[in-house]
Amino acid sequence: DQQVKQNSPSLSVQEGRISILNCDYTNSMFDYFLWYKKYPAEGPTFLISISSIKDKNEDGRFTVFLNKSAKHLSLHIVPSQPGDSAVYFCAASYYSGGGADGLTFGKGTHLIIQP
Amino acid sequence: DSGVTQTPKHLITATGQRVTLRCSPRSGDLSVYWYQQSLDQGLQFLIQYYNGEERAKGNILERFSAQQFPDLHSELNLSSLELGDSALYFCASSDGTGRMDTQYFGPGTRLTVL
């Protein structure tokens, strides 16, 4: 059972426009959410995170929004640049008593920025 | 470059065999995590070690085991390999100081079981 879902396998956006990547989760115990970016032949790279006590977190061109009641988060990239073309993974974790634990990942969304 | 290194980059082996994947965490990081990325399952958490001790287990098969050594490098041992074990295996590390510390991923080892 997929606890973190990214329902769009791919997304194409024009350079300079806004990219919005979506993620839904089912486990209400999740309280920390992250976005990772992955280029081919490389490992995932951390982008931005948000704790469940917040509903928004910004870092430069990247903003993550969290809607706890809907169990939904989104990543906004403004403006989109060619180097943003990559696979984006949504990930989540919850406190199980042992400190930092493994992340539960979605299957990823392939973002393609068109020139 | 995340600072996490993994060897080998590629590994091709036969069913029934045993392999060892190696990971060196970023300097100063005490936690190591192993993940498996297969085509149908996506990225799945396998196991976590913190300063030499097992801390959390995910979807790790009994045929798989891991350990973290005193110098903090980690090895993932996969035995009685099956075709379905073909996947990318990632190691990640974090400083382990808190629950929300960032995990930094290595480039992965691509395992092909023939």
Side-chain angles (χ1 to χ4, degrees), chain A residues 31 36 98 100-101 103 107, chain B residues 35 40 48 55 99 101 103 106:
Chain A
D31 62 356
Y36 278 82
D101 292 328
L103 300 171
K107 290 196 175 181
Chain B
Y35 291 85
D40 55 342
Q48 177 201 357
R55 173 163 274 184
R99 192 171 79 82
D101 52 341
Q103 294 183 27

Side-chain angles (χ1 to χ4, degrees), chain A residues 2 31-32 34 36 38 41-46 51-52 89 93-96 98-107, chain B residues 9 31 33 35 37 40-45 48 55-56 88 90 94 98-108:
Chain A
Q2 272 258 293
D31 62 356
Y32 186 55
L34 309 90
Y36 278 82
K38 186 181 181 304
E42 293 184 14
T45 303
F46 171 75
S51 158
S52 61
F89 290 97
S93 75
Y94 64 88
Y95 181 65
S96 65
D101 292 328
L103 300 171
T104 301
F105 281 86
K107 290 196 175 181
Chain B
K9 213 174 172 77
S31 270
Y33 309 77
Y35 291 85
Q37 185 182 23
D40 55 342
Q41 293 293 326
L43 262 164
Q44 297 230 306
F45 168 63
Q48 177 201 357
R55 173 163 274 184
L88 261 171
F90 288 104
S94 71
R99 192 171 79 82
M100 296 179 181
D101 52 341
T102 299
Q103 294 183 27
Y104 295 88
F105 283 76

Side-chain angles (χ1 to χ4, degrees), chain B residues 49-113:
Chain B
Y49 276 81
Y50 174 77
N51 204 17
E53 301 285 329
E54 182 186 303
R55 173 163 274 184
K57 251 181 174 170
N59 299 317
I60 189 165
L61 299 171
E62 284 193 17
R63 299 183 285 109
F64 296 1
S65 65
Q67 52 185 325
Q68 187 180 26
F69 295 87
D71 67 353
L72 300 176
H73 92 270
S74 177
E75 292 180 356
L76 179 67
N77 301 297
L78 316 176
S79 60
S80 303
L81 285 167
E82 301 174 359
L83 295 177
D85 297 327
S86 295
L88 261 171
Y89 291 84
F90 288 104
C91 166
S93 74
S94 71
D95 59 19
T97 52
R99 192 171 79 82
M100 296 179 181
D101 52 341
T102 299
Q103 294 183 27
Y104 295 88
F105 283 76
T109 293
R110 182 172 291 281
L111 173 67
T112 302
V113 182

Side-chain angles (χ1 to χ4, degrees), chain A residues 43-45, chain B residues 1-5 24-27 29 91 93 103-107:
Chain A
T45 303
Chain B
D1 185 357
S2 66
V4 178
T5 60
S24 293
R26 292 187 323 153
S27 176
D29 282 358
C91 166
S93 74
Q103 294 183 27
Y104 295 88
F105 283 76

Side-chain angles (χ1 to χ4, degrees), chain A residues 32-102:
Chain A
Y32 186 55
F33 304 89
L34 309 90
W35 285 93
Y36 278 82
K37 174 179 175 179
K38 186 181 181 304
Y39 293 118
E42 293 184 14
T45 303
F46 171 75
L47 258 184
I48 192 168
S49 63
I50 188 166
S51 158
S52 61
I53 61 172
K54 295 185 170 183
D55 54 20
K56 179 181 170 182
N57 189 27
E58 271 182 271
D59 185 0
R61 296 186 298 115
F62 302 92
T63 303
V64 56
F65 294 91
L66 175 62
N67 182 334
K68 278 184 294 182
S69 60
K71 294 195 181 70
H72 177 83
L73 63 155
S74 60
L75 174 68
H76 293 210
I77 307 173
V78 185
S80 301
Q81 298 174 353
D84 296 331
S85 294
V87 177
Y88 289 77
F89 290 97
C90 173
S93 75
Y94 64 88
Y95 181 65
S96 65
D101 292 328

